[in-house]
Amino acid sequence: MIFTDIVPELKSTMPGLRGRLLPNQSLAELTWFRVGGPAQVLFMPEDEADLAYLLEHLPAEIPVTVVGLGSNLIVRDGGVPGVVIRLGRGFNEVTVESGNRIRAGTAVPDVKVSRAAQEAALAGLAFFRGIPGAVGGALRMNGGAYGRETKDALIEARGVDRRGRVRVFSNGDMHYTYRHCGAPEEVIFTQALFQGSPGDPAAIAAEMDKITESREATQPIKSRTGGSTFKNPQGHKAWQLIDAAGCRGLKVGDAQVSEMHCNFLINLGGAAAADIEMLGETVRQRVKESSGVELEWEIKRIGAMKPPQ
């Protein structure tokens, strides 16, 4: 799939842009599944002001999509039209502030937040060790693990809207529910402020080690996977419903339901995005037939299906 190259046009209308604009840039290597087509344009802003400049001047008809570390993401084989924004070096600082607080850019891996908290003797943020993504994804999905969620630690989030305006959202403004954020979809988060509490560094380190050991023992983290595939329905565990429907080890092409943890899909090496998504839909169908429960995707899916050859 090759998109029309609109980079020259964008550069001419936005001469003040400092970040990199790349046409028809492959996204497969940016995702944990290692699948998917290209971005029509991949933009990596230098900092928040650069991001705001692009959003303010970008024509309204050009769609905008944000990707982070690609851990909870399927990029479809047809690629992603418009501008795909990936936050990098200008958004990866972590600082400890007064009042037992930590401020983190949204490109910071969640594990770095937990490490910074541990080193600063701040309890309450160790759960971030169990989330395989970056702060931006945790904000947008109310990411959680091992009994805590982002909403339990967030003071406020900062972001830029589609008109290029910087906005700050309190915890309440985020309208969090399970694996859901009610802040406007158009907002691209740039940083977050988290609340910790005084703790013992050794005890916090032990808690993080326990989380690491648990993940390694129960999840296929060394495989090409996208993390938890489906949300846990009310009163159920997704993996148990999937197992009961006989889907453990199920394959579509080179995509497989993990034998280790049924709520993880893995790319055995040669899967296309369509194989992974079809496998997920097959699992949903079988669980619905088996239990009457309709599983909801937790993994985000973006882009266009590849047209038939």
Side-chain angles (χ1 to χ4, degrees), residues 185-267:
E185 281 289 330
E186 64 163 20
V187 172
I188 298 175
F189 294 120
T190 55
Q191 63 174 232
L193 184 62
F194 297 111
Q195 182 69 60
S197 58
D200 172 49
I204 299 166
E207 183 183 354
M208 288 168 60
D209 287 344
K210 193 173 175 184
I211 289 171
T212 302
E213 288 164 14
S214 174
R215 286 187 70 225
E216 288 177 351
T218 61
Q219 300 175 10
I221 58 175
K222 291 183 170 64
S223 302
R224 293 182 178 182
T225 183
S228 293
T229 307
F230 303 107
K231 299 176 183 179
N232 287 322
Q234 191 75 35
H236 299 277
K237 289 193 181 298
W239 78 264
Q240 290 177 340
L241 294 171
I242 295 166
D243 205 15
C247 295
R248 185 183 291 267
L250 184 68
K251 288 183 184 179
V252 170
D254 236 12
Q256 183 181 36
V257 176
S258 169
E259 299 267 9
M260 179 184 271
H261 193 312
C262 299
N263 199 23
F264 284 65
L265 305 183
I266 56 178
N267 177 2

Side-chain angles (χ1 to χ4, degrees), residues 30-41:
L30 301 184
T31 74
W32 286 26
F33 275 124
R34 294 291 189 267
V35 298
Q40 184 170 12
V41 178

Side-chain angles (χ1 to χ4, degrees), residues 54-112:
L54 173 104
L55 293 173
E56 181 184 354
H57 295 92
L58 190 69
E61 66 272 14
I62 296 179
V64 171
T65 308
V66 185
V67 300
L69 291 184
S71 59
N72 207 232
L73 182 69
I74 295 173
V75 176
R76 292 181 173 130
D77 300 307
V80 185
V83 176
V84 174
I85 295 172
R86 190 169 196 250
L87 305 184
R89 285 177 303 191
F91 304 85
N92 66 358
E93 278 194 28
V94 185
T95 54
V96 179
E97 299 189 355
S98 60
N100 304 311
R101 295 175 169 188
I102 286 191
R103 189 177 298 275
T106 44
V108 173
D110 297 317
V111 63
K112 279 187 71 174

Side-chain angles (χ1 to χ4, degrees), residues 102-300:
I102 286 191
R103 189 177 298 275
T106 44
V108 173
D110 297 317
V111 63
K112 279 187 71 174
V113 174
S114 62
R115 282 190 194 130
Q118 186 271 331
E119 289 167 6
L122 295 180
L125 300 173
F127 75 96
F128 278 115
R129 175 65 189 91
I131 306 176
V135 168
L139 290 176
R140 184 48 76 184
M141 296 183 66
N142 187 22
Y146 300 93
R148 277 174 71 79
E149 297 176 311
T150 300
K151 72 175 178 62
D152 300 322
L154 184 72
I155 298 170
E156 64 183 31
R158 179 178 167 115
V160 183
D161 68 17
R162 189 63 168 80
R163 291 166 63 184
R165 299 175 301 183
V166 174
R167 298 173 61 181
V168 176
F169 297 83
S170 69
N171 188 312
D173 293 336
M174 300 291 272
H175 302 292
Y176 276 137
T177 54
Y178 172 65
R179 297 297 178 268
H180 175 77
C181 170
E185 281 289 330
E186 64 163 20
V187 172
I188 298 175
F189 294 120
T190 55
Q191 63 174 232
L193 184 62
F194 297 111
Q195 182 69 60
S197 58
D200 172 49
I204 299 166
E207 183 183 354
M208 288 168 60
D209 287 344
K210 193 173 175 184
I211 289 171
T212 302
E213 288 164 14
S214 174
R215 286 187 70 225
E216 288 177 351
T218 61
Q219 300 175 10
I221 58 175
K222 291 183 170 64
S223 302
R224 293 182 178 182
T225 183
S228 293
T229 307
F230 303 107
K231 299 176 183 179
N232 287 322
Q234 191 75 35
H236 299 277
K237 289 193 181 298
W239 78 264
Q240 290 177 340
L241 294 171
I242 295 166
D243 205 15
C247 295
R248 185 183 291 267
L250 184 68
K251 288 183 184 179
V252 170
D254 236 12
Q256 183 181 36
V257 176
S258 169
E259 299 267 9
M260 179 184 271
H261 193 312
C262 299
N263 199 23
F264 284 65
L265 305 183
I266 56 178
N267 177 2
L268 296 173
D275 297 328
I276 298 169
E277 190 167 5
M278 187 183 296
L279 177 60
E281 289 299 333
T282 303
V283 168
R284 291 182 71 234
Q285 181 183 342
R286 292 195 183 183
V287 167
K288 181 74 186 292
E289 291 168 356
S290 161
S291 65
V293 176
E294 198 154 324
L295 291 178
E296 205 179 319
W297 282 90
E298 182 173 323
I299 286 179
K300 191 175 179 185

